[in-house]
Amino acid sequence: MADFTVSKNVAAMHGSSTMIAAQMASEMRAKGIDVIDLSVGEPDFDTPDFIKALAVEGLNAGLTKYTPASGLAQFRKSIVDFYGKEFGAVLSPHEVAASCGGKQALFNAACTLLNPGDEVLIPKPYWVTFPEIVHFCQATPKYIETASNDFVLTAEMVEAAITDKTKLLIVNSPNNPTGRVIPKDELIRIIELCASRGVYVITDECYLFFAYPPAEPFSSAVLPNEVRDHVCVAGSFSKTFAMTGWRIGYTIANAEWTKAMVKLQSHSATHPTSFVQYACAKALDNIDATKAAVDSMTAEYERRRDWLIPELNKVKGFKCGMPEGAFYAFVDVRGLLGEKYASSAAVAEAMLKEAHIVVTDGEGFGADGFLRISYATSLENLNRAVNAMKELFGTN
Ligand code: PLP
C-alpha cells in the first residue's frame, strides 16, 4: 500500500458523530432486528410531486449542460423574488449563488473568509459540521455556552466572547440539535452587534420554515445593507422541501463575498445540478404550491412535537423543553447518570441494545448529558419508541 499521509487540513477534522448511530442501526437491521431510527436528520416526507415534475420538465427542456458556477440566472432571480415576496427582502442576483446543499454554502462562506489563526464563535450545542469547517480553514473555534439561557444565544453572550481575533460567528436558528429559535429581536441585536464590531456572521437558515407558532420564520436577508454587508445566509432546499438527496442550496451575501464563493466553487463542485436548479427556481416562482407543501409538512412536525414532548417527559430521568423549531427534541438525561449509566452515550447505547431505538448522543454536539431525538418519523414509530423507552427506564 502507498505511504499515504492525509493533509493537515483534513487531519484536523473529525468524522461525523451523527453517522455513528446510523451505522450501528444499519448493522442491527442487517441482522434482522426491527430498529426504530430516531437519529435521522432528514424529513420522512417525499419531495412534493410538483417539484419532481419540474425536474423532469427541466431535463426534457435540455438543461443537461453546465450552468454558470454561480447558478442559472433564473435560479438566482427566483431566490431574489421569493425572499422579496416572503420576507420583504431587497436583494440583487449578484448577492445570490447556488450551491450543492446548505453544507457547501457554509463551506464556501467560511473558506472565503477565514485565515489561519482567526477565531470563530460557535454557540454550544452546535451542529457537528460547524467546528470541522473551521478546523479545515485552520481557524480556531471559540465556543459560547448557552445552557444558562436554555440554549438560546443572546447578544450579551456574544459581546462577552468577542476578542481582537474574532472574525466570524456562526448561528443556526431554528437550531439543530436543540430545536430552539432565537427570538427575532435578539437575533437582530446579535447581528447588529457583530457588524458594528467588524465580525462577520454566517446564519445557517436550513430549518428556516420549520418554526412553530408563536415562533416565526425570520431570515437575516431582510436586514439593512450596512448590517447585511457582514452576513452570509446559508440556505438549503434539503429540509424545507424534503429534498436532501437533490443537493441544492444557496448563499446570500454581499456581492464581493459572493464573487469569492463562486470563484472557490468554480474550482470544486462547479455548480449544483442544472435541472435541479431549474426545478427549484420554478417551484419558488409558484409560491402558492410551495407554501402549501411547506405548510403541510410544518403542521405535521408540529403535531408530532405536541404529542412527543409530554410523552418524553413521562420517561423516568428524561427532561425535555418544548422545541420551537426544526424537528428535534433535545432531552436532558443527566437524571439517569450514575452507577448504571456513566454518560449520555451509555444511555444511548442501552436504548439501542435493549430497546432497539437509535438516538444521537449529545456529546458530538458539545452537550454531554443530552440526547437528540428526531421526530422526522411517523407518529406510529414515535409511539412505539416511547413505549419502549418507558419500559426500559420506567415512568415518573
Ligand atoms: N445546517 C444544519 C444545521 C443541518 O442540520 C444540515 C443538515 O443536516 C445542514 C446545514 C446541511 O444540509 P444540506 O447540505 O443537506 O443542505
Side-chain angles (χ1 to χ4, degrees):
M1 198 152 84
D3 183 12
F4 176 75
T5 308
V6 69
S7 72
K8 285 184 184 153
N9 284 21
V10 174
M13 300 170 94
H14 303 99
S16 173
S17 60
T18 50
M19 295 292 174
I20 296 169
Q23 175 66 27
M24 281 168 87
S26 77
E27 281 167 17
M28 287 177 75
R29 265 197 215 98
K31 288 185 197 150
I33 299 170
D34 181 16
V35 174
I36 308 173
D37 191 352
L38 306 183
S39 71
V40 281
E42 63 181 346
D44 55 319
F45 305 111
D46 196 5
T47 305
D49 283 342
F50 80 99
I51 302 183
K52 290 187 193 172
L54 287 167
V56 174
E57 186 181 295
L59 268 174
N60 289 336
L63 273 161
T64 54
K65 303 286 199 299
Y66 289 130
T67 76
S70 55
L72 290 168
Q74 181 183 9
F75 177 86
R76 299 162 85 192
K77 182 176 181 313
S78 295
I79 297 273
V80 169
D81 292 347
F82 180 79
Y83 273 76
K85 278 185 266 182
E86 188 61 22
F87 300 111
V90 183
L91 304 173
S92 140
H94 301 296
E95 296 172 317
V96 177
S99 63
C100 302
K103 211 177 251 184
Q104 195 187 24
L106 292 162
F107 228 92
N108 287 346
C111 291
T112 47
L113 181 75
L114 296 174
N115 288 307
D118 285 341
E119 290 183 359
V120 179
L121 301 179
I122 301 178
K124 253 183 171 182
Y126 45 76
W127 182 48
V128 290
T129 291
F130 295 155
E132 304 313 332
I133 294 177
V134 173
H135 286 137
F136 180 80
C137 296
Q138 295 180 39
T140 309
K142 293 282 168 184
Y143 298 105
I144 303 179
E145 296 289 347
T146 60
S148 63
N149 192 40
D150 267 346
F151 301 131
V152 178
L153 185 71
T154 66
E156 282 70 30
M157 291 174 185
V158 176
E159 169 109 68
I162 291 176
T163 71
D164 290 351
K165 290 186 180 161
T166 309
K167 186 73 169 280
L168 173 68
L169 164 73
I170 305 178
V171 280
N172 169 224
S173 174
N175 186 273
N176 176 8
T178 65
R180 301 307 309 272
V181 174
I182 302 173
K184 173 181 157 185
D185 291 348
E186 194 60 37
L187 187 51
I188 293 173
R189 284 204 319 132
I190 290 167
I191 296 171
E192 283 176 349
L193 165 75
C194 287
S196 74
R197 302 284 289 272
V199 172
Y200 289 85
V201 183
I202 297 176
T203 59
D204 179 344
E205 296 185 358
C206 151
Y207 296 94
L208 177 63
F209 288 93
F210 300 139
Y212 311 113
E216 39 177 343
F218 168 74
S219 174
S220 305
V222 301
L223 294 171
N225 280 349
E226 65 276 14
V227 179
R228 207 162 52 76
D229 263 0
H230 280 78
V231 175
C232 177
V233 171
S236 172
F237 286 76
S238 288
K239 322 280 173 166
T240 311
F241 301 104
M243 296 176 69
T244 45
W246 296 55
R247 309 310 304 138
I248 178 113
Y250 51 91
T251 47
I252 302 172
N254 72 57
E256 286 306 307
W257 197 350
T258 299
K259 222 190 275 175
M261 289 192 279
V262 171
K263 181 171 160 190
L264 172 64
Q265 184 164 283
S266 75
H267 292 296
S268 52
T270 311
H271 60 74
T273 304
S274 49
F275 54 87
V276 169
Q277 293 182 49
Y278 171 89
C280 289
K282 292 284 247 183
L284 291 185
D285 292 347
N286 186 350
I287 195 157
D288 291 338
T290 298
K291 291 279 298 188
V294 175
D295 287 350
S296 78
M297 288 190 263
T298 309
E300 177 58 20
Y301 288 136
E302 192 180 2
R303 195 165 79 92
R304 294 172 186 176
R305 177 200 70 156
D306 290 348
W307 179 84
L308 178 65
I309 308 306
E311 290 300 317
L312 287 175
N313 279 308
K314 289 180 194 162
V315 179
K316 203 166 202 166
F318 279 25
K319 233 164 69 183
C320 184
M322 199 58 148
E324 296 135 334
F327 40 65
Y328 306 105
F330 203 53
V331 186
D332 183 348
V333 294
R334 286 174 296 181
L336 285 174
L337 304 189
E339 236 169 65
K340 190 159 184 197
Y341 306 111
S343 62
S344 48
V347 176
E349 195 179 329
M351 287 170 77
L352 181 62
K353 292 201 170 136
E354 295 171 44
H356 303 157
I357 303 164
V358 193
V359 296
T360 313
D361 176 29
E363 205 222 318
F365 306 111
D368 205 0
F370 288 77
L371 300 177
R372 189 191 74 173
I373 293 183
S374 164
Y375 48 92
T377 188
S378 67
L379 262 180
E380 187 201 333
N381 277 344
L382 293 172
N383 209 325
R384 284 171 53 217
V386 164
N387 285 338
M389 289 178 210
K390 287 178 180 167
E391 205 158 295
L392 181 62
F393 299 115
T395 50
N396 285 319

